[in-house]
């Protein structure tokens, strides 16, 4: 790890590696995850799932030999409103009759004997009428389409310009958070209490309130327990688990019910990263100056819409890469298939489309006979350039500088020169960017609120629904609050997220927590500092209740038109460059990513150790997705639902990593910070693929890159 | 049959079924929930504990094979100083400082593997990468964990 | 988080070899458990049909040792991968066993899993079995009615099928001394650097006079490539040996890899073997 020393000498906490606040709890085993929660008398629940991908349920049979009258059993009929509320409400919580994908929930059972539940669940027989099903993109209906138009592409693709086309594909990716999904729920009269593993307590709240047709917000209480990884996998999916748990509990007369998935169930039924196919056509001069781009970005949405429209949107918006395109025609299409719905996963579409453009540019550079790095340099976005959505780049990304640092640290040129194409050793590079926060008007709609409350014991409590899922929310918010308030960080407390008890600061997604929600924490802290007016917290809190709230307001000029897809898609962008060094085994074609370098501009680095943790973790996930992570689906059923056969990197595989930050501060983020969580996912696949293309002389256009595809 | 074990120096007795995985017994009968479930197939290492000075995955041990065993779990590593302050084990302390724990779910198992490696480095001639290869981490990419282990090796161990 | 009902697995814990063999003969479908690294996976995942189980851990005194006897090395049925990996005689004389034990699971699994468990499981992807094939190990099978010693080369009869009778337990592996001056070769091709199930695994030894080569994951059982061995011993070029080998392997497509890759990589491996074991 190399971290450039932060230039915030005047600041006490921001820019310093304050140790993780809940770290000691996690390291001693005291942190309570959902499965660690002991609730006396809780029933164990289990979900019965479809074993076909398309068709109808004809009959459900309960064979003899089990005391079925002792079981709590629920079906779709027991749910007042059979919907999982998200963007639309089309996805049912339980299959009533029509089956749209494998491993869809049909029926739930619960019993006080966990062993009996497991046996009974396997004994239940479902009779189906099976339909053929659709398992490939571009064969069924379009769930959502989007278009971006900019400049005159017809002109760009005419005349002397060099036109070059390519098609690029990326596979699905499983999150493999090490803690599977789970909830525990019970009813207290007309109120349901839900504890669980999740990223977004208010999403769960909305879905549960809708499903049970509850009138008041306080009839649903969602408490986030320590969450063992999310990466997007616990953004929308937990709403489903929560509805199921609450339903079983209601049928059981309000008794507590535990519904905690095992690994195989979690992997088989939960969301994955959307597979993609990107077709790119570019026009440029013989010297490599970009004139126009046409992109068709296809993603597989699976059997329900869920969050696919926003994944499609972010993927499409990033599909041109950090380059100046005078003309652009970009179309995004999300396709229906009978696969389990694909969902949120770190990067949200951008890693898919940025892989495509970054591979395309290396291939184009070969055609032009120009060094791939020089080709990029000629076209990097600079201050004042216009993005395909007509957004004007207001900061200078200084991508030249970022790339220079990556080349220097990795000794790129010398290494590349000493390994000729096809030698089995290669260096590859990618340049990428990522918009901070929700797309377009998303942040305005969210209208997030945070609160700080002074306590009579002299502490100040942070109240947000933004969750700690490993990325360091509690710690960076404490740093920001202490800095803004001008008090000791030991005086800051973090309220465990619980709907009703904390304001809705929006979901914990979209690289928004540190920068955008953190910005609100900073604002609230400064307000409270004024109210304190030099008094000590305990003294002031004793006199009157001291509370500060901050609500999101869009910065002036941030205008977005959802109809035309024009305007400012994001309030800020983070930038980065990766270099990958790979070695291919000459006998087996096994691919080893030896080392990766990452230079990132995430604005102000609030906590270097945590920020490095985010980018290194993202690089490793990106490397895994590019090399070994392969979701094998047959007729919409995942075949490798174990960690023994869905392969993520071990400590023996992980590349050595070198990370450096450059800081271009963002005027709207907390202390100048920008998004960090997703950016590191965008670059590794293309950097690795470009390196493999060099090392093998083969035309790599899809990931994962399997030895099976190289050694023929 | 009643099975007796010593866990973190304390005697425990359980009437759990002999085929119950040690993991479930630790978590449910002994209420020691620091040791985590991650996969149930001996692959992720979240359930790693030290049994009779050997590193094992507790989901792979039928509890009847743990009868009479000395078991160490993550709960037994830190100690309390005279002034009541908690003193973390050097491996825990280094993880805290170096960012070795993020979401924390692999952490107890990872820490136990780390502690065992410092005691018996000869068991993994391939060094850290080999010593920790049975413990999957999805958050860190392992680099911060390597840095923590290097630091812990320098600060020494009080055992 | 166990997806089974443990009460469906009645447990027997014999305290001596004789008792173990009596139980094995008397109780139908009795499933022996040594380190538990296979059985517990099935149990946790809800994939083990209810059956009585027999835990052999009380037999460690009889069966866990590794000892020399008349120039052979005897590995007890309860010796773990760790025991094997770190045993001085194994390290000196049977490097392929050390290599293969090292790449079987991670340390935690190596501390519990046994070499005999790897044999009896019958998976064609077993990492240590090719090494045992080329060392021409014998295995001792005990039952309450007697014993027999058979070559591991004759142990497998088909995919996950062995000649082991329902009343028998394997008590030990007998390794004859390897030929003098043997050059050793082991290679596991997996999906990642650690904790992988093999796509292809090969073990080979070569002297100036003879060659032995055993392959895993390229057929229904681990297999010896006898024609290829003969060709190599007869001075075939790497390319010629590779052609012969292709006739001896019968790999399939599965979720880990493809038939084509397995063939291509086996071709490369045999050529690499010939280069690396030249002298």
């Amino acid at each position: 790890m190399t971290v450039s020393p932060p230039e915030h000498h005047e600041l006490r906490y921001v820019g310093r590696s304050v140790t993780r606040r809940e770290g000691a709890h996690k390291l001693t085993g005291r942190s309570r995850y959902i499965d660690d929660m002991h609730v006396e008398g809780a029933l164990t629940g289990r979900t019965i799932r479809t074993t076909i991908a398309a068709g109808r349920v004809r009959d459900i049979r309960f064979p003899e030999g089990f005391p079925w009258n002792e079981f709590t059993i629920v079906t779709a009929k027991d749910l007042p409103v059979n919907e999982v509320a998200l963007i639309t409400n089309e996805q049912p919580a339980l299959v009533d009759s029509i089956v749209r994908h494998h491993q869809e929930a049909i029926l739930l059972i619960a019993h006080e004997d966990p062993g009996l539940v497991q046996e009974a669940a396997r004994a239940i027989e479902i009779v189906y009428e099976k339909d053929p099903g659709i398992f490939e993109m571009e064969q069924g209906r379009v769930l959502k389409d989007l278009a971006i138009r900019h400049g005159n592409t017809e002109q760009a693709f005419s005349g002397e310009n060099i036109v070059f086309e390519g098609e690029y594909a990326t596979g699905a990716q499983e999150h493999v958070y090490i803690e599977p999904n789970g909830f525990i729920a019970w009813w207290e009269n007309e109120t349901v209490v839900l504890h669980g593993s999740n990223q977004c307590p208010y999403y769960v709240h909305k879905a549960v309130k809708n499903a049970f047709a509850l009138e008041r917000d306080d009839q649903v209480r969602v408490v986030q327990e320590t969450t063992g990884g999310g990466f997007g996998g616990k953004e929308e999916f937990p709403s489903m688990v929560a509805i199921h748990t609450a339903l079983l509990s209601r049928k059981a007369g309000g008794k507590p019910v535990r519904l905690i998935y095992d690994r195989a169930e979690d992997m088989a039924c939960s969301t994955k990263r959307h597979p993609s196919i990107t077709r790119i056509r570019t026009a440029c001069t013989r010297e490599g100056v970009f004139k126009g781009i046409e992109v068709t970005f296809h993603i597989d949405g699976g059997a329900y819409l869920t969050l696919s429209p926003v994944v499609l949107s972010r993927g499409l918006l990033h599909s041109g890469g950090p380059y100046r395109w005078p003309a652009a025609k970009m179309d995004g299409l999300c396709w229906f298939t009978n696969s389990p719905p694909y969902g949120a996963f770190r990067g949200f579409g951008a890693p898919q489309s940025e892989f495509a453009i970054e591979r395309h540019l290396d291939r184009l550079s070969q055609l032009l006979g120009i060094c791939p790095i020089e080709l990029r340099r000629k076209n990097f976005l600079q201050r004042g350039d216009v993005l395909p959505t007509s957004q004007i780049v207001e900061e200078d990304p200084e991508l030249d500088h970022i790339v220079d640092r990556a080349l220097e640290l990795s000794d790129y040129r010398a290494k590349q020169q000493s390994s000729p194409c096809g030698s089995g050793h290669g260096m590859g590079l990618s340049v990428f960017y990522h918009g901070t926060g929700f797309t377009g008007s998303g942040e305005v709609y969210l209208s997030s609120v945070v609160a700080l409350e002074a306590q009579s014991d002299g502490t100040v409590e942070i109240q947000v629904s933004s969750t700690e899922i490993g990325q360091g929310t509690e710690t960076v918010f404490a740093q920001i609050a202490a800095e803004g308030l001008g008090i000791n960080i030991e005086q800051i407390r973090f309220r465990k997220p619980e709907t009703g008890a904390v304001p809705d600061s929006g979901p914990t997604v979209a690289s928004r927590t540190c920068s955008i929600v953190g910005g609100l924490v900073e604002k609230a802290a400064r307000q409270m500092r004024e109210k304190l007016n030099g008094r000590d917290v305990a003294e002031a809190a004793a006199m009157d209740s001291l509370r500060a709230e901050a609500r999101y307001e869009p910065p002036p000029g941030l205008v977005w038109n959802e109809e035309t897809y024009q305007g400012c898609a994001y309030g800020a962008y983070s930038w980065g460059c990766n270099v990958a060094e790979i070695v291919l085994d000459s006998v087996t074609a096994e691919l080893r990513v030896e080392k990766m370098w990452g230079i990132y501009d995430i604005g102000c680095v609030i906590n270097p150790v945590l920020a490095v943790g985010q980018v290194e973790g993202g690089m490793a996930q990106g490397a895994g997705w590019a090399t070994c992570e392969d979701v094998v689906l047959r007729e919409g059923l995942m075949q490798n639902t174990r960690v023994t056969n869905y392969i993520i990197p071990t400590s023996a595989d992980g590349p050595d990593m070198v990370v450096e930050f450059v800081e271009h501060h963002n005027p709207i983020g907390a202390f100048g910070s920008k998004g960090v969580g997703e950016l590191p996912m965008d670059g590794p696949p293309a950097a690795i693929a470009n390196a493999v293309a060099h090392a093998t002389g083969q035309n790599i256009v899809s990931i994962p890159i399997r030895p099976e595809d190289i050694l023929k | 049959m009643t099975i007796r074990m010593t866990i973190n120096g304390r005697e425990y007795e359980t009437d759990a079924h002999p085929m119950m995985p040690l993991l479930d017994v630790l978590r449910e009968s002994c209420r020691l929930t620091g040791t985590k479930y991650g996969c149930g197939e001996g692959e992720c290492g979240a359930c790693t504990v030290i049994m009779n000075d050997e590193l094992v995955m507790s989901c792979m041990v039928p509890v009847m094979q743990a009868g009479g065993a000395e078991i160490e779990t993550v709960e037994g590593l830190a100690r309390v100083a005279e002034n009541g302050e908690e003193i973390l084990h050097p491996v825990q302390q280094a993880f805290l400082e170096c960012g070795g724990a993020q979401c924390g779910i692999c952490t107890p198992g990872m820490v136990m593997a780390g502690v065992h490696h410092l005691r018996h480095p000869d068991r993994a001639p391939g060094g850290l990468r080999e010593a920790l290869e049975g413990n999957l981490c999805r958050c860190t990419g392992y680099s911060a964990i390597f840095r923590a282990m290097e630091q812990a090796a320098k600060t020494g161990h009080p055992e | 988080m166990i997806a089974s009902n443990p009460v469906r697995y009645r447990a027997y814990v014999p305290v001596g070899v004789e008792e173990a063999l009596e139980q094995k003969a008397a109780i139908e479908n009795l499933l022996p458990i040594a380190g538990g690294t296979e059985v517990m996976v099935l149990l946790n995942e809800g994939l083990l049909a209810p059956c009585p189980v027999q835990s052999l851990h009380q037999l460690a005194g009889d069966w866990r040792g590794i000892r020399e006897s008349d120039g052979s090395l005897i590995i007890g049925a309860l010796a773990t991968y760790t025991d094997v990996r770190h045993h001085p005689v194994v390290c000196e004389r049977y490097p392929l066993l050390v290599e293969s034990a090292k790449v079987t699971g991670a340390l935690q699994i190596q501390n519990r899993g046994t070499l005999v468990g790897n044999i009896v499981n019958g998976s064609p992807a077993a990492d240590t079995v090719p090494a045992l094939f080329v060392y021409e190990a014998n295995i001792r099978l005990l039952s309450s009615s007697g014993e027999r010693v058979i070559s591991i080369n004759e142990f497998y009869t088909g995919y996950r099928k062995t000649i082991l009778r329902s009343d028998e337990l394997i008590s030990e592996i007998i390794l004859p001394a390897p030929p003098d001056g043997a050059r050793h070769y082991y290679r596991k091709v997996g999906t990642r650097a650690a904790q992988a199930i093999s796509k292809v695994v090969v073990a080979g030894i070569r002297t100036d006079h003879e060659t032995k080569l055993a392959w895993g994951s390229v057929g229904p059982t681990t297999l010896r490539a006898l024609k290829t061995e003969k060709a190599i011993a007869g001075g075939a070029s790497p390319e010629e040996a590779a052609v012969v080998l292709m006739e001896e392997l019968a790999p399939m497509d599965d979720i880990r890899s493809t038939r084509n890759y397995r063939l291509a990589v086996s071709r490369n491996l045999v050529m690499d073997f010939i280069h690396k074991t030249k002298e």
Side-chain angles (χ1 to χ4, degrees):
Chain A
M1 171 175 80
T2 327
V3 181
S4 51
E7 309 256 329
H8 318 290
H9 301 302
E10 75 284 7
L11 300 177
R12 244 177 110 191
Y13 296 112
V14 164
R16 314 215 177 254
S17 292
V18 171
T19 55
R20 177 177 287 277
R21 297 205 107 202
E22 80 292 359
H25 289 274
K26 286 176 170 169
L27 283 156
T28 54
R30 278 198 302 271
S31 287
R32 189 175 75 181
Y33 297 79
I34 189 60
D35 194 29
D36 304 339
M37 188 172 166
H38 180 77
V39 182
E40 207 59 50
L43 308 180
T44 297
R46 179 104 203 174
T47 312
I48 315 301
R49 299 180 179 282
T50 55
T51 53
I52 62 165
R56 267 156 302 277
V57 174
R58 280 293 170 236
D59 195 15
I60 300 175
R61 291 174 191 165
F62 297 88
E64 280 177 32
F66 288 92
W68 294 113
N69 59 336
E70 293 175 8
F71 280 80
T72 303
I73 300 173
V74 298
T75 67
K77 309 264 184 294
D78 294 292
L79 200 57
V81 180
N82 188 14
E83 296 172 350
V84 183
L86 201 59
I87 295 175
T88 65
N89 294 3
E90 63 150 358
Q91 186 179 21
L94 288 164
V95 168
D96 191 359
S97 148
I98 295 175
V99 178
R100 286 224 220 159
H101 67 83
H102 243 291
Q103 302 297 301
E104 202 170 357
I106 307 182
L107 180 78
L108 305 160
I109 63 170
H111 193 278
E112 60 195 17
D113 178 350
L116 196 57
V117 170
Q118 303 296 345
E119 283 185 289
R122 273 193 295 279
I124 294 170
E125 293 164 21
I126 316 280
V127 183
Y128 301 99
E129 187 181 310
K130 197 177 162 187
D131 287 342
I134 295 161
F135 303 104
E136 300 290 334
M137 283 182 259
E138 303 181 71
Q139 291 183 357
R141 63 195 163 91
V142 170
L143 289 170
K144 174 77 185 174
D145 63 310
L146 290 172
I148 299 170
R149 298 288 182 268
H150 170 66
N152 186 342
T153 42
E154 230 166 86
Q155 194 180 16
F157 284 92
S158 63
E160 297 287 289
N161 289 334
I162 311 276
V163 174
F164 183 62
E165 296 181 37
E167 180 179 308
Y168 309 90
T170 62
Q173 184 180 24
E174 160 60 32
H175 305 84
V176 200
Y177 30 68
I178 305 294
E179 178 208 32
N181 275 285
F183 267 87
I184 296 176
W186 62 87
W187 289 76
E188 294 170 358
N189 300 319
E190 290 306 302
T191 298
V192 59
V193 182
L194 291 132
H195 290 251
S197 177
N198 69 95
Q199 295 177 217
C200 315
Y202 277 100
Y203 278 9
V204 175
H205 183 276
K206 174 184 164 183
V208 171
K209 188 183 169 204
N210 177 70
F212 290 92
L214 300 173
E215 282 169 15
R216 301 190 321 273
D217 281 345
D218 65 4
Q219 286 179 276
V220 181
R221 220 161 81 212
V222 181
V223 185
Q224 188 230 2
E225 294 301 327
T226 308
T227 294
F231 318 113
K234 291 173 185 167
E235 176 173 350
E236 73 276 32
F237 192 79
S239 296
M240 174 80 82
V241 189
I243 292 171
H244 290 169
T245 319
L247 182 59
L248 273 171
S249 169
R250 201 170 78 149
K251 188 80 178 267
K255 267 193 200 172
V257 172
R258 305 169 67 87
L259 187 62
I260 295 173
Y261 289 0
D262 62 34
R263 174 61 55 190
E265 178 177 25
D266 193 295
M267 284 178 66
C269 71
S270 70
T271 55
K272 313 267 175 286
R273 180 185 298 285
H274 292 71
S276 75
I277 297 170
T278 309
R279 302 203 178 95
I280 302 179
R281 200 165 158 250
T282 49
C284 65
T285 65
R286 212 155 271 288
E287 294 72 37
V289 177
F290 296 167
K291 291 296 175 189
I293 184 168
E294 287 181 0
V295 180
T296 322
F297 177 58
H298 302 267
I299 60 172
D300 183 344
Y304 295 101
L305 189 66
T306 65
L307 290 173
S308 293
V310 257
V311 172
L312 184 71
S313 161
R314 189 178 283 267
L316 193 65
L317 285 162
H318 287 79
S319 65
Y323 306 99
R324 188 186 320 114
W325 297 104
K329 180 171 178 283
M330 297 167 159
D331 292 286
L333 293 158
C334 174
W335 296 91
F336 172 88
T337 63
N338 290 100
S339 300
Y342 294 97
F345 195 145
R346 195 178 205 166
F348 225 64
Q352 289 93 317
S353 62
E354 294 196 67
F355 164 74
I357 186 69
E358 285 301 287
R359 241 336 261 144
H360 184 80
L361 295 188
D362 261 41
R363 295 178 65 232
L364 173 62
S365 71
Q366 259 189 326
L367 176 84
L368 297 171
I370 300 174
C371 159
I373 298 161
E374 296 319 309
L375 176 68
R376 287 177 170 85
R377 284 190 199 276
K378 282 174 200 262
N379 299 285
F380 277 149
L381 284 171
Q382 289 171 4
R383 189 199 309 269
D385 282 339
V386 180
L387 294 171
T389 55
S390 307
Q391 179 172 8
I392 294 164
V393 179
E394 304 220 358
E395 62 174 331
D396 190 348
E398 292 190 48
L399 289 167
D400 272 318
H401 171 65
I402 290 176
V403 169
D404 284 341
R405 278 305 286 160
L407 296 177
E408 192 182 327
L409 286 174
S410 62
D411 200 13
Y412 182 96
R413 293 198 188 279
K415 285 184 184 164
Q416 193 74 320
Q417 262 164 24
S418 65
S419 2
C421 186
S423 66
H425 176 263
M427 304 289 281
L429 175 139
S430 65
V431 186
F432 47 92
Y433 72 140
H434 205 94
T436 299
F438 264 43
T439 304
S441 320
E443 292 293 342
V444 175
Y445 291 131
L446 283 177
S447 189
S448 302
V449 178
V450 308
L452 296 179
E453 205 173 80
Q455 315 282 322
S456 52
D457 65 358
T459 62
V460 173
E461 186 176 78
I462 301 172
Q463 299 172 353
V464 291
S465 66
S466 305
T467 52
E468 167 64 57
I469 54 170
Q471 81 287 46
T473 303
E474 286 190 41
T475 312
V476 295
F477 281 6
Q479 290 177 262
I480 291 165
E483 197 73 67
L485 278 156
I487 62 175
N488 290 330
I489 198 164
E490 290 74 24
Q491 288 173 265
I492 306 290
R493 291 200 310 198
F494 185 85
R495 174 93 184 232
K496 178 172 171 165
E498 173 181 339
T499 60
V502 297
D504 186 355
S505 61
T508 307
V509 303
S511 307
R512 65 187 294 277
T513 301
C514 178
S515 173
I516 292 178
V517 186
L520 299 178
V521 172
E522 183 188 350
K523 204 162 130 190
R526 293 193 193 282
Q527 277 173 33
M528 184 170 276
R529 188 178 199 160
E530 274 177 35
K531 289 187 190 172
L532 282 170
N533 196 16
R535 291 175 297 172
D536 135 313
V537 177
E539 183 195 331
M543 284 169 66
D544 45 9
S545 99
L546 206 52
R547 192 179 156 85
E549 272 193 8
R551 180 179 289 275
Y552 178 82
E553 281 164 27
L558 196 76
V559 180
W560 174 254
N561 186 330
E562 188 69 28
E563 296 302 308
T564 60
Y565 249 64
Q566 292 288 305
C568 289
Y570 302 97
Y573 291 90
S574 300
W575 313 89
C577 174
N578 279 155
V579 169
E581 179 173 5
I582 69 102
V583 180
L584 212 69
D585 188 288
S586 60
V587 175
T588 64
E590 288 168 292
L591 171 59
R592 176 159 182 85
V593 183
E594 288 279 325
K595 198 161 180 176
M596 292 195 69
W597 292 262
I599 313 297
Y600 301 96
D601 171 11
I602 56 167
C604 169
V605 178
I606 304 269
N607 183 318
V609 162
L610 294 182
V612 167
Q614 282 295 289
V615 297
E616 286 181 342
M619 285 159 83
Q621 279 179 4
W625 183 41
T627 59
C628 57
E629 296 186 32
D630 192 6
V631 174
V632 181
L633 283 166
R634 284 196 192 130
E635 294 213 337
L637 177 65
M638 185 173 177
Q639 304 293 308
N640 47 340
T641 59
R642 323 265 170 197
V643 280
T644 42
N645 51 24
Y646 181 82
I647 302 298
I648 66 168
T650 67
S651 63
D653 300 88
D656 287 335
M657 292 185 269
V658 176
V659 169
E660 198 173 276
F661 294 111
V662 295
E663 300 191 28
H664 288 113
H665 285 201
N666 163 24
I668 59 168
F671 289 93
S673 66
K674 301 191 281 197
V676 54
E678 296 173 292
L679 177 74
M681 194 75 211
D682 294 340
I688 291 167
N690 287 336
V692 175
H694 180 83
T696 59
Q698 293 188 22
N699 182 22
I700 309 292
V701 290
S702 65
I703 56 168
I705 305 163
R706 289 166 295 217
E708 282 78 0
D709 301 322
I710 293 171
L711 189 69
K712 288 169 197 154
Chain B
M1 84 179 95
T2 301
I3 296 160
R4 290 187 184 80
M5 301 173 282
T6 306
I7 308 172
N8 303 326
R10 236 189 90 187
E11 302 290 322
Y12 283 81
E13 250 187 43
T14 175
D15 292 322
H17 188 277
M19 279 298 278
M20 193 61 104
L22 174 61
L23 170 67
D24 298 69
V25 174
L26 288 173
R27 292 178 51 78
E28 278 152 41
S29 312
C30 310
R31 298 272 172 88
L32 291 168
T33 54
T35 305
K36 306 302 181 192
Y37 166 90
C39 72
E41 50 182 336
E43 189 81 4
C44 79
C47 66
T48 298
V49 300
I50 296 172
M51 181 165 117
N52 297 330
D53 206 29
E54 280 195 350
L55 203 63
V56 304
M57 310 235 195
S58 60
C59 76
M60 293 285 97
V61 180
V63 68
M64 63 179 150
Q65 296 192 351
E70 297 261 354
I71 293 162
E72 297 167 70
T73 72
V74 74
E75 286 97 341
L77 292 177
R79 55 195 178 85
V80 181
E82 278 174 23
N83 64 2
E85 211 174 290
E86 178 174 65
I87 299 175
L88 295 178
H89 184 283
V91 170
Q92 292 171 315
Q93 185 62 35
F95 268 62
L96 184 65
E97 289 166 17
C98 301
Q102 287 192 26
C103 85
I105 194 84
C106 79
T107 304
M110 190 71 80
V111 165
M112 295 315 286
V115 167
H116 187 266
H117 180 58
L118 290 190
R119 286 184 199 162
H120 302 289
D122 56 311
R123 286 303 185 88
L128 268 180
R129 281 182 180 273
E130 184 186 2
L132 304 178
E133 73 186 20
N135 295 76
L136 297 178
C137 171
R138 192 56 155 167
C139 290
T140 62
Y142 305 102
S143 290
I145 292 171
F146 294 153
R147 289 191 289 270
M149 285 300 298
E150 280 155 18
Q151 179 177 316
K154 277 186 213 139
T155 49
H157 36 102
E159 302 162 321
Chain C
M1 188 63 57
I2 158 176
S4 296
N5 194 353
V7 304
R8 304 289 177 230
Y9 307 89
R10 176 152 183 205
Y12 294 84
V13 185
V15 294
V17 171
E18 208 173 309
E19 190 190 358
L21 295 173
E22 279 166 15
Q23 288 173 354
K24 197 77 182 75
I27 301 163
E28 211 177 326
N29 276 330
L30 186 64
L31 179 67
I33 303 180
T37 56
E38 297 284 351
V39 174
M40 295 305 282
V41 173
L42 300 175
L43 185 85
N44 280 320
E45 295 185 345
L47 300 174
L48 186 66
C51 65
V53 296
Q54 181 185 48
S55 177
L56 303 174
H57 63 282
Q58 304 268 32
L59 309 190
D62 298 294
W63 280 3
R64 190 162 171 180
I66 298 175
R67 63 178 207 279
E68 289 180 273
S69 166
D70 295 335
S72 295
L73 190 71
I74 315 287
I75 298 177
L78 296 175
T80 63
Y81 297 103
T82 301
D83 295 343
V84 169
R85 234 188 113 171
H86 295 286
H87 193 276
V89 178
V90 180
C91 290
E92 189 195 321
R93 282 158 50 186
Y94 305 96
L96 301 180
L97 276 184
V98 177
E99 280 298 304
S100 60
K102 197 165 90 182
V103 297
T104 304
L107 295 185
Q108 291 97 318
I109 295 300
Q110 293 166 18
N111 285 338
R112 299 281 305 162
T114 60
L115 214 54
V116 163
N118 206 215
I119 294 173
V120 83
N121 170 268
S123 164
D127 294 318
T128 61
V129 175
L132 294 168
F133 265 60
V134 300
Y135 289 135
E136 300 194 324
N138 290 309
I139 47 185
R140 189 182 302 276
L141 313 178
L142 298 190
S143 70
S144 52
S145 58
E147 68 167 72
R148 48 182 180 151
V149 174
I150 62 130
S151 164
I152 188 145
N153 288 271
E154 290 154 21
F155 185 66
Y156 299 103
T157 56
Y159 179 70
R160 289 191 182 262
K161 287 204 179 88
T162 73
I163 59 150
L164 191 69
R165 292 198 316 255
S166 65
D167 65 337
E168 284 177 322
L169 289 170
I170 299 179
S171 66
E172 60 192 29
I173 303 166
I174 305 153
L175 288 167
D180 287 336
R183 278 95 64 183
H184 296 76
Y185 182 90
Y186 183 85
R187 193 69 202 264
K188 168 176 172 169
V189 185
T191 42
R192 66 179 162 206
Q195 286 219 80
I197 303 173
S198 66
K199 294 174 175 179
V200 173
V201 53
V202 59
I205 55 175
R206 189 175 172 195
T207 66
D208 295 340
H209 314 289
E210 63 174 341
T211 291
K212 292 173 192 166
L213 266 178
W215 300 80
S217 286
V218 286
T221 67
T222 304
L223 56 93
R224 280 277 293 273
L226 295 168
K227 287 182 194 156
T228 311
E229 292 177 3
K230 218 170 147 194
I232 296 168
S237 72
E239 291 72 20
E240 287 163 351
V243 171
V244 178
L245 180 70
M246 290 303 99
E247 292 164 18
E248 295 195 271
L249 307 183
M252 298 200 312
D253 289 337
D254 62 18
I255 57 169
R256 283 197 301 286
S257 190
T258 61
R259 173 185 156 82
N260 286 345
Y261 175 74
R262 288 178 158 123
L263 287 175
V265 90
S266 301
R267 201 181 300 130
N268 286 354
L269 284 167
V270 77
M271 294 195 282
D272 191 50
F273 166 77
I274 296 170
H275 286 303
K276 295 230 168 92
T277 55
K278 215 172 272 170
E279 47 210 32

